[in-house]
Amino acid sequence: EIVLTQSPDFQSVTPKEKVTIICRASQSIGSSLHWYQQKPDQSPKLLIKYASQSFSGVPSRFSGSGSGTDFTLTINSLEAEDAATYYCHQTSNLRRTFGQGTKVEIK
Amino acid sequence: EVQLVESGGGLIQPGGSLRLSCAASGFTVSTNYMSWVRQAPGKGLEWVSVIYSGGTTYYADSVKGRFTISRDNSKNTLYLQMNSLRVEDTAVYYCARESYYDYYAMDFWGQGTTVTVSS
């Protein structure tokens, strides 16, 4: 099983600040890494596919980078509506896995 | 418009069985990879199972041998048969489409159905 480890687990951020979330894979997964946003009592929503490609309709302040084992989700100029938990997810292996999540709170 | 609607959740005793359904519209289930993902109360997302367009299936170790993923092409519906349920299977269960064009990222999700395993 490929283990995805996100850091940090929690981040409290001021609006307009930049947010960086890291996802590390236990083995190389190429670029088969995706990012989701989940707000309370809602289903997850796809933000970034294949490490760095924005999904349709996602605001440009969200971006992704990385390959192999180290990946980053960046939120430039955080807005209040971005308060959520963010998950990374790999589809390199037959058995998909998710990171444990990073909760972003607005100060 | 792509839509996924889960149903079939409820309260069940340990050791019992339940079948979840995920009715799809706006696309064809049989030509896509489809996954079940669950989320225990206050916890993160856990991948449960996937069925490929060709019919091949895979399961998380935590459910292997107890859960079965399947689909009915005529109804355009995905299923998850859950047997020998345990307290730790309590969760919201989501179905999701894995898009070939999005490198199998889960581009559409249902609203979820809640399964509670308790005596």
Side-chain angles (χ1 to χ4, degrees):
Chain A
E1 176 182 300
I2 296 175
V3 177
L4 299 179
T5 304
Q6 293 182 227
S7 60
D9 291 331
F10 176 83
Q11 200 164 8
S12 184
V13 187
T14 304
K16 298 188 179 180
E17 201 174 332
K18 179 180 177 180
V19 173
T20 300
I21 299 171
I22 292 171
C23 178
R24 288 204 166 93
S26 58
Q27 63 190 75
S28 180
I29 57 173
S31 297
S32 297
L33 190 285
H34 321 292
W35 291 96
Y36 302 85
Q37 176 194 66
Q38 186 182 33
K39 296 181 180 180
D41 298 319
Q42 293 186 18
S43 304
K45 289 181 170 61
L46 177 63
L47 293 175
I48 303 291
K49 56 182 177 174
Y50 210 57
S52 61
Q53 297 182 14
S54 293
F55 186 57
S56 175
V58 173
S60 59
R61 63 182 179 274
F62 292 93
S63 63
S65 63
S67 67
T69 59
D70 294 330
F71 301 87
T72 300
L73 174 70
T74 301
I75 311 174
N76 282 303
S77 191
L78 187 80
E79 298 191 4
E81 67 184 31
D82 300 332
T85 301
Y86 295 84
Y87 295 93
C88 58
H89 162 235
Q90 66 80 22
T91 53
S92 172
N93 187 273
L94 302 174
R95 291 172 178 79
R96 289 88 166 97
T97 49
F98 287 90
Q100 81 276 16
T102 296
K103 185 174 183 179
V104 174
E105 174 194 88
I106 309 298
K107 282 183 182 174
Chain B
E1 180 192 5
V2 171
Q3 198 169 11
L4 295 166
V5 179
E6 300 99 333
S7 60
L11 175 64
I12 188 79
Q13 290 189 338
S17 297
L18 213 53
R19 189 179 79 158
L20 306 183
S21 300
C22 169
S25 57
F27 74 101
T28 302
V29 166
S30 64
T31 60
N32 283 269
Y33 290 13
M34 298 292 297
S35 266
W36 287 97
V37 176
R38 68 183 181 183
Q39 187 169 36
K43 302 296 184 183
L45 302 173
E46 180 188 14
W47 173 78
V48 172
S49 181
V50 64
I51 183 167
Y52 288 176
S53 50
T56 302
T57 60
Y58 295 98
Y59 300 91
D61 288 342
S62 57
V63 306
K64 195 172 184 180
R66 300 188 298 123
F67 290 12
T68 302
I69 190 171
S70 64
R71 66 190 181 212
D72 184 330
N73 297 344
S74 67
K75 295 182 177 179
N76 208 32
T77 298
L78 178 74
Y79 300 102
L80 186 68
Q81 177 67 43
M82 305 186 295
N83 298 331
S84 303
L85 282 162
R86 305 168 180 168
V87 171
E88 54 265 35
D89 295 320
T90 294
V92 175
Y93 284 74
Y94 298 99
C95 62
R97 183 180 80 170
E98 294 192 8
S99 171
Y100 167 82
Y101 298 102
D102 296 325
Y103 306 95
Y104 302 108
M106 296 176 185
D107 63 346
F108 284 96
W109 296 65
Q111 83 289 350
T113 187
T114 300
V115 173
T116 304
V117 185
S118 174
S119 54

